[in-house]
């Protein structure tokens, strides 16, 4: 591997990490906006529980898909 290849790999890694951080911030911002729209603290907590359950469900689906594709 040349010094140039190493630099290209470092740049690509930096860009992937920056994109992931950006996605993370956008998603959290969307969730926060949704929670702030809730009229009461109880409604906020109910919405949080729905978000948690939805994220877990998506994680389960992705995991199953990846297991099937790697088998």
């Amino acid at each position: 591997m040349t010094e140039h290849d190493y630099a290209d790999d470092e740049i690509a890694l930096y860009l992937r990490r920056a994109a992931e951080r950006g996605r993370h911030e956008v998603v959290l911002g969307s969730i926060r906006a949704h929670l702030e729209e809730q009229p009461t603290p109880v409604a906020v907590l109910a919405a949080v529980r729905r978000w948690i359950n939805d994220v877990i469900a998506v994680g389960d689906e992705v995991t199953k898909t990846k297991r099937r594709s790697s088998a």
Side-chain angles (χ1 to χ4, degrees):
M1 178 179 278
T2 68
E3 189 174 317
H4 180 70
D5 292 336
Y6 179 76
D8 287 347
D9 288 346
E10 288 292 314
I11 291 168
L13 178 60
Y14 173 81
L15 292 174
R16 282 195 306 274
R17 287 180 177 166
E20 175 57 29
R21 280 192 306 274
R23 260 191 313 277
H24 185 83
E25 292 302 315
V26 167
V27 169
L28 282 181
S30 295
I31 292 170
R32 177 182 283 281
H34 180 253
L35 296 177
E36 289 175 351
E37 292 171 351
Q38 303 310 306
T40 66
V42 171
V44 171
L45 293 176
V48 166
R49 289 184 188 95
R50 285 191 302 275
W51 277 110
I52 290 168
N53 289 333
D54 289 346
V55 169
I56 291 170
V58 168
D60 288 343
E61 289 174 23
V62 171
T63 300
K64 287 177 189 173
T65 300
K66 288 187 173 285
R67 284 185 178 148
R68 274 182 262 159
S69 66
S70 67

